Amino acid sequence: MATPGADQRSRVMRWEGIFQSAPDAAFILEGERIVAANRAAANLFGCPHEELVGLAMPELAASGRLGTLPSAEAIGDWAAHARLGEVWRLVLSGRRRDGCEFDAEFCLSALPGKERQVLLSVRKHAAGGPGVGLLADVTERKKEDERSRAREEHYRTLVNNFPDGALVLFDTDLRVMLAESAALAAGGFPKESLEGRSLAALLPALTFTMIEPNLHGAVAGQESALEVPFGGRIYNVHARPVRGPEGEVVAGMAVVQDITARKRLEDKLRYLSAHDPLTNLFNRLFFEEEMARLAKGRHFPVSIVSADVDGLKGVNDRLGHAAGDELLRQAAEVLRISFRPGDVVARIGGDEFAVLLPGASIIAGESVLARVRRNENAYSASDDRPAVHFSLGLATAEEGQSLAETLRLADSRMYRNKLERSKKP
């Protein structure tokens, strides 16, 4: 049976083994003086541990191996607070014998009876009892903290300079966890007024109803995008999940961008691609696309009117092309008011116009020609604008007949009408 003395020696050896094997630099203090130091402490300071043992902490600081320590009075206050269970830590700069510098976190921890392992905290102990000091090399951690702060600042800079948009993080209850963007504050929504609030309470009911399925989809792991009108502008809302280290969904994210200018540009380009810039009627490309679409549809009969402005060449020769352009604009207006909103009125050449009339029979087409003549005469009766006259041709396609052939027939009848009109005095 082991004797009490043997048990005590065994415990001491076990404790000393733990102390020497600790990965962090550790030393035992009595008062301000170091009475023991482990191998990691010697490695950290780059000197034999015998040089550390016996030094007082102020002497260690005076040697240039530690930054300036707090005063003895301050350390005494720490000890008093430690006895009340409070935790105190201090980060110091250190320097090895070879001149390499490092940052270290210094903690004081009680060592009751030398039987407990070293702790990185301050524990209550008997007055005058020994304590353990632990120096953990936190240089890399401090660098990583600095890198993390730099990344966070970089992130915030990017988000706050996000063009015409914002980034919003939200939880499964669709409450705002984070809202970042200079545009939010400029729009009267400072982040402090958003974070912690429900998106349902922040947004108009109609807007929230539009985006709610996408937001719930994001926290369920789905990605989506939609365009949302709000306050006279158009926003693209890209909702997607935010995943944790294991791929689990931890939140939802909405990237909101004002796309009003882009949509207006797209609308303008779309309009220009289908319209004649001089008259604002449809252009030949759109006319041909619509004719091909009608040929495959169920809108027969389809009538086609071919119209040519009389006298344009003479106006260009006598008065210049600006006057000729004005005549074309006036002719386009006469045609515009003569046809139904669903008819396709197009300028397909210099002085040539054509109109598609879906669902219009030959009788309906002839009625439209008569309307064009009435509007032409009424428009030309005014003395304060140039007279507008057309040569017109009409043809109608029944189901199964070619619209391309129908257009050619309308053109042929238009040229015949022009020839007849030219023979009249």
Side-chain angles (χ1 to χ4, degrees):
M1 177 180 296
T3 64
D7 287 342
Q8 176 69 19
R9 286 193 297 273
S10 177
R11 286 195 296 269
V12 169
M13 290 176 64
R14 185 166 56 250
W15 182 90
E16 288 180 351
I18 293 172
F19 176 73
Q20 290 297 335
S21 301
D24 291 328
F27 46 84
I28 300 173
L29 303 177
E30 288 185 359
E32 295 182 344
R33 193 165 300 279
I34 300 171
V35 296
N38 68 355
R39 288 188 291 270
N43 291 336
L44 180 63
F45 285 101
C47 64
H49 79 283
E50 292 83 0
E51 291 188 14
L52 297 174
V53 175
L55 284 177
M57 292 301 292
E59 293 173 337
L60 186 62
S63 70
R65 295 188 183 171
L66 279 180
T68 302
L69 286 172
S71 65
E73 292 80 5
I75 294 177
D77 289 340
W78 288 9
H81 284 286
R83 295 187 186 98
L84 297 177
E86 298 184 22
V87 177
W88 293 85
R89 297 174 183 268
L90 177 66
V91 174
L92 300 173
S93 296
R95 185 166 58 250
R96 292 166 51 87
R97 172 180 284 179
D98 58 12
C100 294
E101 295 186 352
F102 59 87
D103 294 307
E105 185 178 71
F106 176 61
C107 304
L108 289 178
S109 178
L111 190 61
K114 298 184 181 180
E115 293 182 357
R116 299 179 63 185
Q117 75 177 65
V118 175
L119 300 174
L120 282 171
S121 59
V122 178
R123 299 286 185 179
K124 183 178 180 181
H125 59 87
V132 61
L134 216 66
L135 277 174
D137 189 344
V138 295
T139 305
E140 288 304 317
R141 191 182 75 187
K142 187 172 182 181
K143 289 180 179 178
E144 180 57 34
D145 289 344
E146 292 173 353
R147 286 193 290 266
S148 296
R149 285 192 292 271
R151 285 194 297 268
E152 180 180 358
E153 184 61 30
H154 182 58
Y155 155 77
R156 290 184 180 276
T157 301
L158 286 175
V159 171
N160 286 326
N161 286 276
F162 189 66
D164 304 317
L167 185 145
V168 179
L169 293 183
F170 51 90
D171 61 18
T172 54
D173 295 324
L174 306 189
R175 289 188 177 276
V176 178
M177 301 167 62
L178 172 70
E180 289 290 350
S181 174
L184 289 173
F189 294 98
K191 59 179 295 181
E192 294 79 7
S193 70
L194 301 177
E195 293 176 0
R197 297 184 62 189
S198 167
L199 287 167
L202 290 169
L203 297 172
L206 181 59
T207 302
F208 181 74
T209 300
M210 291 179 64
I211 68 173
E212 184 181 11
N214 300 72
L215 301 180
H216 281 299
V219 293
Q222 302 167 3
E223 186 170 351
S224 62
L226 75 161
E227 294 178 0
V228 180
F230 179 74
R233 305 189 71 79
I234 302 174
Y235 295 86
N236 181 74
V237 179
H238 186 178
R240 59 177 301 168
V242 177
R243 299 186 182 275
E246 303 299 324
E248 76 281 11
V249 177
V250 296
M253 176 173 67
V255 179
V256 185
Q257 188 171 15
D258 187 342
I259 59 171
T260 307
R262 191 187 79 192
K263 295 297 292 184
R264 288 173 179 169
L265 178 59
E266 289 175 355
D267 291 343
K268 182 178 181 180
L269 293 175
R270 190 178 300 111
Y271 181 89
L272 292 176
S273 71
H275 289 79
D276 170 55
L278 178 64
T279 63
N280 286 322
L281 297 179
F282 291 116
N283 58 22
R284 186 183 191 97
L285 177 62
F286 184 83
F287 178 88
E288 291 176 345
E289 289 175 348
E290 281 297 291
M291 189 167 66
R293 185 183 66 83
L294 290 173
K296 300 175 182 178
R298 300 180 179 180
H299 299 282
F300 288 92
V302 176
S303 291
I304 300 179
V305 173
S306 179
D308 190 272
V309 179
D310 294 336
L312 176 62
K313 184 177 184 304
V315 171
N316 284 335
D317 292 344
R318 294 192 313 274
L319 303 176
H321 287 280
D325 289 347
E326 181 60 27
L327 178 61
L328 288 171
R329 281 190 284 265
Q330 301 298 336
E333 184 60 27
V334 171
L335 292 175
R336 184 180 287 109
I337 64 176
S338 300
F339 291 90
R340 303 170 299 180
D343 296 333
V344 180
V345 184
R347 182 187 177 205
I348 61 173
D351 56 0
E352 300 174 28
F353 297 82
V355 187
L356 291 169
L357 294 84
S361 64
I362 185 67
I363 296 175
E366 289 173 346
S367 175
V368 170
L369 286 189
R371 189 188 310 136
V372 173
R373 290 300 182 199
R374 290 195 300 271
N375 290 335
E376 171 191 83
N377 292 333
Y379 195 90
S380 300
S382 175
D383 294 332
D384 60 353
R385 55 193 175 197
V388 174
H389 297 289
F390 294 102
S391 295
L392 301 171
L394 170 69
T396 302
E398 300 294 337
E399 189 168 1
Q401 294 180 322
S402 168
L403 288 184
E405 289 298 326
T406 304
L407 176 59
R408 279 191 283 271
L409 181 56
D411 280 341
S412 176
R413 290 173 178 173
M414 181 272 292
Y415 284 117
R416 187 186 308 160
N417 179 246
K418 182 178 285 289
L419 180 60
E420 293 170 354
R421 290 167 63 84
S422 68
K423 292 179 180 179
K424 292 181 180 180

